[in-house]
Amino acid sequence: MMLTGSRRGRGASPVWWVPATRVRSTIVEFMRLEAAGGIVLLVGAIAALVWVNVHAGSYHDFWDYHTEFGLTLFGEVFAVDEGLKAWVNDGLMVIFFFVVGMEIKRELVVGELRDPRRAALPIIAAGGGMFVPAAIFAVLNQGSAGIDGWGIPVATDIAFVIGVLALFGRRLPAGLRVFLLTLAIADDIGGIAIIAIFYTSDLSLPHLGLAIGLIALVVAAQRAGIRHIPVYVVIGVILWYSTHESGIHATIAGVVLGLLTPANPFRGRDVMHTLEHTLLPYSSFLIVPLFALANAGVEVTPHALGKAFEGSIAWGIILGLVAGKFVGISAATLASARLGLGRLPAGVNLGHVLGASLLAGIGFTVSLFIAELSFDTDIHLLDQAKIGVLAGSLIAGALGAIFLLVVSRVTPTSVEHGSMESVAHK
């Protein structure tokens, strides 16, 4: 933002004040919505479990019901025929990933990720928190049909994590939330890359070419100064269709559009702030809980549990989320601190890092999403994966909350006792 035609006296705000304030307010709003959204997400998951275990037939019949949406242009029919669950996963979740794309763009341009020094530690931590869980799962499932699910335990569900942190109020340092939020954003980037690269079916080059052309059209429209959101909505819908038909998962279209959204005011209008303010409530309180309702339904019977825990898929996910995330994030953080590659925010100590590493094992939303992509043709393997995600996320969340509760009582937030800076110099 520039100050033009005015004097900068003692009462004038600095040039950076307004955008910095807006960035902070956006982050605060995001964390507040994510914390409350985590509760609604939990309600959706519980409702799915109750529904499918009370009347499995109606649950599956409802979400498998097929509907077709389309239109005819120039004699050509453009239509998509999907079940209701697929419409949620491939359609509504595009909005969720669009918001994620904007969050990533904001962090890269005006947030923590814009500063390589401050972003290095959570990025490295996120890398460790993705590699170790994937490796654990791959080792346990090597040579079996379950190997396709190696990407399931790499994700962290920021809605649940922020929701757990909110229970502690001010007993935990604010820097811990910033660290976890930045880590989760880096984790999202990795998860999106995994979906785009490794969970793509046979490519349709004509549709892929159309999608690339539409992306170029968005860039051209921005450079031409077009700021009317409906124009981009129309392009976005066509981009979604071409991406869906290309073989790349349709949600990638949402991520791309989010990354193309201007993070700074565009032609005098803060487009990203407007879109986030409008879409965040729908994403947090409607779309993600609806996704949980459609995907978390798994029969929790002695037979189903026995079947799941006899195999290696559920155990690979549980160990990946609980042990893999903990070891990967904490080890990468400690190693980076010792090597001087980065430092944590003030007041965050080793105990906070260990607790955060446990909490990061809550991998609900994106883990279920990748599970659906991994085993969409085998309902039995999918159910085993869902049980692993639910059990692993529950265990990781409980252990992380208990650990941070102990740490918050031992180490006051106002004292930087045992900070990572001291660890780095030992």
Side-chain angles (χ1 to χ4, degrees):
M1 178 179 178
M2 298 181 61
L3 296 178
T4 57
S6 62
R7 293 179 299 173
R8 294 179 58 187
R10 293 173 57 186
S13 298
V15 173
W16 49 264
W17 177 256
V18 173
T21 302
R22 178 165 292 174
V23 170
R24 283 196 298 271
S25 65
T26 301
I27 293 174
V28 169
E29 179 184 8
F30 165 74
M31 295 179 71
R32 184 178 68 249
L33 286 173
E34 288 294 308
I39 298 174
V40 183
L41 175 57
L42 179 61
V43 171
I46 293 173
L49 288 170
V50 171
W51 184 358
V52 78
N53 283 279
V54 170
H55 201 295
S58 66
Y59 179 85
H60 293 297
D61 288 345
F62 179 82
W63 291 112
D64 290 340
Y65 180 79
H66 271 244
T67 56
E68 180 180 274
F69 288 96
L71 72 161
T72 302
L73 291 176
F74 308 111
E76 293 289 333
V77 178
F78 301 90
V80 178
D81 184 6
E82 298 276 14
L84 289 180
K85 183 169 78 170
W87 277 112
V88 172
N89 294 353
D90 298 348
L92 289 180
M93 285 297 284
V94 172
I95 298 175
F96 166 79
F97 280 99
F98 175 61
V99 173
V100 169
M102 288 193 294
E103 291 164 4
I104 293 172
K105 178 67 172 288
R106 186 184 64 239
E107 290 296 317
L108 288 170
V109 176
V110 297
E112 292 293 318
L113 294 179
R114 80 185 188 283
D115 184 345
R117 176 73 177 175
R118 298 175 66 180
L121 204 65
I123 290 176
I124 295 172
M130 297 179 71
F131 174 78
V132 178
I136 290 175
F137 185 95
V139 168
L140 290 178
N141 290 274
Q142 184 64 36
S144 71
I147 190 62
D148 290 341
W150 64 269
I152 297 173
V154 306
T156 294
D157 194 311
I158 189 60
F160 272 136
V161 172
I162 294 298
V164 173
L165 289 180
L167 299 176
F168 290 90
R170 296 187 177 182
R171 285 181 289 178
L172 294 175
L176 181 63
R177 294 170 174 80
V178 175
F179 172 74
L180 265 175
L181 181 60
T182 309
L183 184 150
I185 293 295
D187 189 281
D188 284 339
I189 295 173
I192 290 166
I194 287 173
I195 293 171
I197 297 171
F198 298 102
Y199 290 95
T200 293
S201 57
D202 295 335
L203 286 175
S204 168
L205 294 181
H207 286 102
L208 180 60
L210 175 59
I212 294 173
L214 290 166
I215 293 170
L217 180 60
V218 171
V219 175
Q222 289 180 345
R223 294 192 174 182
I226 298 174
R227 65 176 189 175
H228 300 292
I229 293 178
V231 173
Y232 297 98
V233 171
V234 173
I235 298 175
V237 171
I238 303 174
L239 175 61
W240 173 85
Y241 176 80
S242 58
T243 305
H244 181 276
E245 296 299 307
S246 73
I248 298 175
H249 200 272
T251 52
I252 299 301
V255 178
V256 171
L257 290 173
L259 291 173
L260 290 176
T261 304
N264 294 312
F266 176 69
R267 298 281 180 172
R269 184 177 184 181
D270 195 337
V271 179
M272 180 173 287
H273 179 77
T274 300
L275 289 172
E276 284 188 316
H277 184 76
T278 302
L279 295 177
L280 263 176
Y282 292 102
S283 176
S284 298
F285 297 113
L286 177 61
I287 294 172
V288 176
L290 192 59
F291 170 83
L293 183 63
N295 291 273
V298 59
E299 295 184 54
V300 186
T301 62
H303 174 73
L305 293 175
K307 189 71 175 176
F309 292 121
E310 282 177 4
S312 55
I313 292 177
W315 282 114
I317 295 170
I318 292 171
L319 291 176
L321 290 175
V322 179
K325 282 287 186 180
F326 175 74
V327 173
I329 293 174
S330 57
T333 303
L334 284 171
S336 300
R338 287 183 181 275
L339 294 173
L341 299 178
R343 61 182 182 181
L344 286 174
V348 177
N349 59 37
L350 177 59
H352 295 134
V353 171
L354 296 178
S357 301
L358 286 169
L359 273 189
I362 304 175
F364 190 82
T365 304
V366 179
S367 291
L368 286 177
F369 192 86
I370 297 178
E372 288 283 341
L373 297 178
S374 303
F375 306 121
D376 60 335
T377 59
D378 193 322
I379 187 64
H380 300 294
L381 296 183
L382 179 58
D383 283 347
Q384 293 176 39
K386 287 182 179 181
I387 289 174
V389 171
L390 295 174
S393 297
L394 181 61
I395 294 170
L399 291 177
I402 293 171
F403 195 95
L404 286 175
L405 179 62
V406 174
V407 171
S408 67
R409 291 181 175 178
V410 173
T411 308
T413 58
S414 60
V415 180
E416 295 183 32
H417 176 69
S419 68
M420 289 300 295
E421 290 186 30
S422 64
V423 173
H425 294 290
K426 285 185 179 180

